[in-house]
Amino acid sequence: MQLAVWAHPAREFPEGKDSVDDVKAWLDKLREAGVTRYIPFVTSGSPVFESAVLGPPQRDLLATLMQVARKIGMEVHPIVGLGGVSPGFGEDEGYYVPLAKAGEELPSWSGRWVDPAWEENVEVICNISEQMLDNYGCDGLHMDAVRYPNTAVLDDHPCVCERCRAARMKWLGKEVPDEADLARPGVVALEIRMREGFVRGLTERLRRICDARDLPLSLAARARYLKDAVPEGQDWAQWCRDGLLDFVCPMSYNPCLDRFQRFVEQHTRLLEGADTPLYAGVGRKSSLGTLSPQDMMQQFEYLCERGIGAACIFSAGALEDEDLRLLKDFTTHN
């Protein structure tokens, strides 16, 4: 079983416990448990790497991670993307602007989602990615939140920023759809196609950046493909068929085994005919709930039964000694 973990190094290594020895002690534990790919959030909040775009960090954790990981045979694939994983963009322009409806209060995150319709945003993310790969010698690049905001808001509040308005004029004949438009299947289909074009544009740019360095590009994919991924512009199954991704990690984590199994079955079907390895997302602790170590291993056993040879755990910081012991035994024999 190939094992990866999503990770939050700023939390795993708080100030005063972030020396080379501290990092090595933790990565050694993960490596002994069978983890071969460490996928860290490096731009959420305060960036933990140096960049000509973002400036010097308060702590350069990525340098320490790379130093340790090289010695123990672990790959590091830092995360870039839109939404909450994007570094702060200071200008007022360039964000998703939800179509306003009288009296509605939307989640705070929805108004600060970096919009891929703005080529300036794509350029910044690509510049950050190139510098990070070149300066730190990372083993690949992982995309997260490479999409538009959650359908819980997006379905009724399409983006009406300057760039989306201009794009919509070409196929709708007006800048802002009304309620009647949003109820018409043809309009919805072209609205989704527009979003996917912008999101795919960023993905294709990052693909070229990785290709130029002979490095893999991967994605934390939305688990609900038709409900979330496609409407948000993240048609990851098509991206896999088109060769844009080297491996894909659908966020299938769920404390309900039956729900997890249904996700995995759907994702396996979606990837039929594609040459992209599936890393099933297993959530030890997530917004959907918490698995016990034993319940987590039950999900791994199911993956083995299905012949799925890779998984990605959310997240490294949730793993305790019992988890690591069980994982070590499992990966040793599978």
Side-chain angles (χ1 to χ4, degrees), residues 75-94:
E75 295 181 5
V76 177
H77 297 240
I79 293 170
V80 295
L82 306 165
V85 305
S86 182
F89 285 63
E91 302 296 329
D92 290 335
E93 295 182 326

Side-chain angles (χ1 to χ4, degrees), residues 125-144:
I125 292 169
C126 289
N127 287 343
I128 291 170
S129 300
E130 288 184 300
Q131 292 169 13
M132 185 162 51
L133 293 175
D134 292 342
N135 295 343
Y136 288 88
C138 302
D139 300 288
L141 204 61
H142 190 75
M143 300 183 295
D144 191 12

Side-chain angles (χ1 to χ4, degrees), residues 241-262:
R241 288 191 290 271
D242 293 341
L244 292 178
L245 301 176
D246 292 287
F247 62 95
V248 64
C249 307
M251 297 178 286
S252 46
Y253 30 84
N254 197 289
C256 172
L257 179 60
D258 180 66
R259 181 66 168 158
F260 173 77
Q261 290 173 336
R262 280 184 281 144

Side-chain angles (χ1 to χ4, degrees), residues 93-153:
E93 295 182 326
Y95 291 96
Y96 158 74
V97 178
L99 175 65
K101 291 191 176 184
E104 262 190 298
E105 185 174 341
L106 300 180
S108 59
W109 53 260
S110 67
R112 299 300 286 178
W113 193 284
V114 176
D115 189 342
W118 294 69
E119 59 268 22
E120 297 92 332
N121 293 339
V122 172
E123 193 67 28
V124 169
I125 292 169
C126 289
N127 287 343
I128 291 170
S129 300
E130 288 184 300
Q131 292 169 13
M132 185 162 51
L133 293 175
D134 292 342
N135 295 343
Y136 288 88
C138 302
D139 300 288
L141 204 61
H142 190 75
M143 300 183 295
D144 191 12
V146 174
R147 56 183 176 84
Y148 274 84
N150 300 15
T151 53
V153 171

